[in-house]
Amino acid sequence: MSTGRFAESEPLAIVGMSCRVPGGDDVDEFWETLLSGRSMMGPVPEERLVGYNAEVAGAGGLTAGLMPDADAFDAEFFDVGGRMAAWMDPQQRLLLETSWRALESAGIAPASLRGREVGVFVASSTSDFRDHMISTGALDRYSATGSVAAYLSNRISHHYDLRGPSITVDTACSSGLSALSLAASGLRAGDFDMAIVGASNVYGSGWLTAALAHMGALSPTGVCRPFSPDADGYVRGEGVLCFVIKRLDDALDSGDPVLAVIRGAAANHDGRAGGLVKTDAHSQARLMRRALAQGGIEPSSLGYLEAHAPGTKLDEVELNGLRELLRGAEPARFAGPDGRLWIGTVKAVLGHLEGAAGAASLAKGVLVLLNGAIPAGVGILSMDSGFDVHDEQAGAGVVSWPASGSPRRLGVSSFGIGGSNAHVVLEEAPAVAAPGGTWGSRPIPVPISATDPEALRRVAARLAEFLDGPSAPELAVTAWTLQTGRDHLASRAVVPARTLAELRDGLRRIAAGDDVAPDDDVRVRRWLDGEHIDWSPLWNRPPGRRVRLPGYPFRRTSLGIAPRRAARAAR
């Protein structure tokens, strides 16, 4: 743990990111879903509506953005017994999987974190799993550890043996960015050197849906209409996301793959300026001003705002808050395409992820910066230098955001129903020197591993497909990442390769069940036999950084949204 103190303006880095959302089992699939502009919302199945009373609730809540396999989990991979897994909140299960993949995305071997003071901050504002149990009267000796909200964060800390703060955050719809703000404060204070920030929302009960519908929060038509005069309420959505956060200087020194830079992260409350369930434009402006000030950034340097905008009558308040922020600034131009500030919301595609909403918005913001493009889906707006807002053409595709010599920057907003607000300012990752690395004339040994031979074949197939795509990194840095940025599991193989083509060929042979002759170096053979080795001495000069590679292909088994005994009790 660092003993230094850091300024509130210390830039932070997002070095790892993963997600499970409707239309996306990973961040690449999520981006393709955003580009399609296609709504992922549909009818809610009966098993998700236990406790729903239509006579009281009214018409809202019967449409939602749901994952097709929210109940599936690879319990064996995480060494969780069958009974315990069945009685775990699906949020806990999915947080374990997404945290693992987020660390893989960062090129950080989970075992390397054991005993370290890594902070864990998990956002969640619902307890649908526990509500389901209460509705059916189901109980087991694992019910408490499976459903108490503290275990959403504590389960992660326990699994990886992390010794930093482990906190579950609930500020309603702003929980995801509130958790990030807490992590940012701890990193800047030097309390820990790394944080895992997660957020989850799984639709598993009808009670909260009925309560929200009855109070008029949910759309009776089941359609999300952000910034529309026809908006009639939000549509629930689910998803689980995780991020790995470090101080930027530490990330660059460690050779981490920086996905985006956090220049500001702030949270506040409306006090009595708004209402118990209504937000306040002045409080939003004050919050955004503070987040921008952390990075010494002017509002005119922003090119995009990922808005909260769930599709209610209060969406206009958010635009008024933006105007309040800009009042007196009068920029000649914004930094977005065509000199405008573009405004969008992920909720038009996924629905409102409630406690995970800010995390979904953050992930979209990171992807916008990585791709230099803004998805042009439903609800896309732009603001000109006179602060007038324009509806843009909705549909599939993107608005290109070309590089301009200055780093692209954007804001992400999330406002809670109880008055707690959070805002994050993101900047594109800085350019870094080529990773370098020299091996010599012999083939580079590229290691892969999995829990068993069948899983190893899936690992090989997944990696080969990725390395055949446009995002494939060079061979040396791919090998270095797999050597030093992964836990090495029981079933192992090595592909000796001089080129990416040779690596892809070897991986496909493993995926087909064929043998690949390993490197004859004695140290590599020791690794194949299950030993831990230091890969650095095998290089003339190791690469200076690691890269994002595909995550582990879990073997998931359906456990049900609720334990089977609970399902029987409900009938």
Side-chain angles (χ1 to χ4, degrees):
M1 183 180 72
S2 172
T3 57
R5 308 295 289 184
F6 300 86
E8 186 184 44
S9 59
E10 177 82 5
L12 308 174
I14 298 175
V15 300
M17 179 172 77
S18 67
C19 69
R20 289 275 301 279
V21 295
D25 187 59
D26 57 33
V27 294
D28 295 320
E29 289 185 5
F30 181 29
W31 179 245
E32 292 301 319
T33 295
L34 291 173
L35 294 184
S36 75
R38 180 168 52 93
S39 168
M40 301 306 298
M41 289 161 269
V44 179
E46 185 178 348
E47 69 168 338
R48 308 285 197 107
L49 290 169
V50 171
Y52 182 91
N53 186 334
E55 293 183 1
V56 176
L62 300 181
T63 298
L66 303 178
M67 295 179 285
D69 57 351
D71 67 323
F73 179 52
D74 191 341
E76 184 177 357
F77 183 89
F78 291 97
D79 196 26
V80 176
R83 183 174 179 180
M84 178 180 284
W87 287 88
M88 283 171 64
D89 188 331
Q91 295 182 105
Q92 289 189 31
R93 306 171 195 153
L94 295 173
L95 282 163
L96 284 175
E97 289 191 2
T98 52
S99 62
W100 184 276
R101 281 193 171 176
L103 291 169
E104 287 183 314
S105 169
I108 296 173
S112 70
L113 303 177
R114 290 174 187 157
R116 290 177 51 186
E117 292 197 15
V118 176
V120 177
F121 300 84
V122 172
S124 180
S125 64
T126 58
S127 55
D128 278 20
F129 180 78
R130 184 167 58 182
D131 294 342
H132 193 130
M133 299 299 98
I134 293 170
S135 296
T136 60
L139 195 65
D140 188 83
R141 61 190 174 96
Y142 289 123
S143 293
T145 57
S147 62
V148 171
Y151 281 94
L152 296 175
S153 54
N154 296 171
R155 178 84 67 170
I156 292 174
S157 299
H158 176 267
H159 179 77
Y160 299 109
D161 191 19
L162 308 178
R163 308 301 174 87
S166 185
I167 299 172
T168 301
V169 178
D170 181 3
T171 59
C173 319
S174 60
S175 300
L177 296 192
S178 294
L180 180 67
S181 180
L182 289 173
S185 295
L187 285 164
R188 287 169 169 162
D191 294 340
F192 40 84
D193 294 330
M194 191 179 104
I196 295 173
V197 177
S200 61
N201 196 56
V202 176
Y203 192 140
S205 166
W207 181 87
L208 180 60
T209 298
L212 291 168
H214 188 57
M215 73 180 291
L218 302 184
S219 167
T221 59
V223 179
C224 180
R225 301 182 179 91
F227 301 116
S228 170
D230 298 326
D232 60 356
Y234 79 82
V235 178
R236 295 191 73 190
E238 66 182 7
V240 180
L241 304 98
C242 273
F243 306 86
V244 181
I245 316 293
K246 286 186 172 184
R247 291 181 290 272
L248 177 60
D249 286 347
D250 292 347
L252 294 174
D253 289 345
S254 300
D256 298 323
V258 177
L259 307 181
V261 176
I262 299 170
R263 295 297 304 274
N268 75 356
H269 193 274
D270 295 334
R272 302 191 72 171
L276 195 58
V277 294
K278 292 182 179 180
T279 189
D280 171 64
H282 297 290
S283 298
Q284 293 176 17
R286 177 167 50 89
L287 171 70
M288 290 186 282
R289 194 173 293 117
R290 179 183 165 197
L292 288 162
Q294 286 182 13
I297 292 171
E298 294 296 325
S300 59
S301 73
L302 300 178
Y304 178 69
L305 173 69
E306 175 61 21
H308 181 68
T312 72
K313 300 298 183 184
L314 295 177
D315 290 1
E316 184 64 27
V317 175
E318 186 168 0
L319 295 178
N320 290 337
L322 184 58
R323 294 185 181 100
E324 175 70 18
L325 168 71
L326 299 169
R327 187 167 291 125
E330 299 185 2
R333 289 171 65 85
F334 289 101
D338 301 324
R340 297 186 175 192
L341 176 67
W342 292 73
I343 305 168
T345 174
V346 72
K347 296 174 183 66
V349 173
L350 300 185
H352 186 3
L353 271 61
E354 297 161 339
S361 295
L362 182 71
K364 179 183 173 184
V366 173
L367 291 169
V368 165
L369 294 176
L370 284 173
N371 291 281
I374 300 166
V378 175
I380 189 77
L381 308 175
S382 70
M383 178 178 283
D384 60 29
S385 59
F387 311 145
D388 292 324
V389 174
H390 308 270
D391 287 324
E392 301 293 341
Q393 182 66 41
V398 298
V399 176
S400 178
W401 188 358
S404 64
S406 298
R408 300 178 184 90
R409 292 174 179 149
L410 58 82
V412 182
S413 290
S414 196
F415 308 126
I417 192 173
S420 289
N421 311 307
H423 186 81
V424 172
V425 179
L426 292 181
E427 182 176 284
E428 67 178 315
V432 294
T438 55
W439 178 264
S441 59
R442 299 177 60 200
I444 303 176
V446 182
I448 60 171
S449 69
T451 55
D452 56 65
E454 191 277 329
L456 186 68
R457 291 191 289 273
R458 289 186 286 117
V459 167
R462 186 181 178 93
L463 182 58
E465 181 181 8
F466 176 81
L467 295 176
D468 205 22
S471 301
E474 64 181 57
L475 173 63
V477 74
T478 297
W480 180 246
T481 301
L482 293 169
Q483 288 170 357
T484 64
R486 292 286 190 273
D487 271 5
H488 299 300
L489 307 175
S491 185
R492 303 180 176 189
V494 167
V495 179
R498 290 184 175 86
T499 65
L500 274 179
E502 286 186 6
L503 175 56
R504 288 193 298 267
D505 179 66
L507 290 169
R508 287 178 178 132
R509 288 167 60 193
I510 293 172
D514 298 333
D515 292 329
V516 173
D519 191 287
D520 59 5
D521 186 282
V522 64
R523 289 163 294 190
V524 174
R525 288 188 174 277
R526 281 170 39 211
W527 180 83
L528 284 167
D529 289 338
E531 291 188 37
H532 171 79
I533 68 168
D534 181 1
W535 294 88
S536 300
L538 278 69
W539 293 79
N540 294 337
R541 179 168 58 88
R545 61 183 175 89
R546 301 176 308 284
V547 291
R548 183 175 71 89
L549 295 172
Y552 192 83
F554 296 111
R555 186 191 292 124
R556 297 172 178 136
T557 300
S558 173
L559 298 172
I561 287 296
R564 305 302 185 191
R565 282 172 51 192
R568 287 196 295 271
R571 285 199 291 268

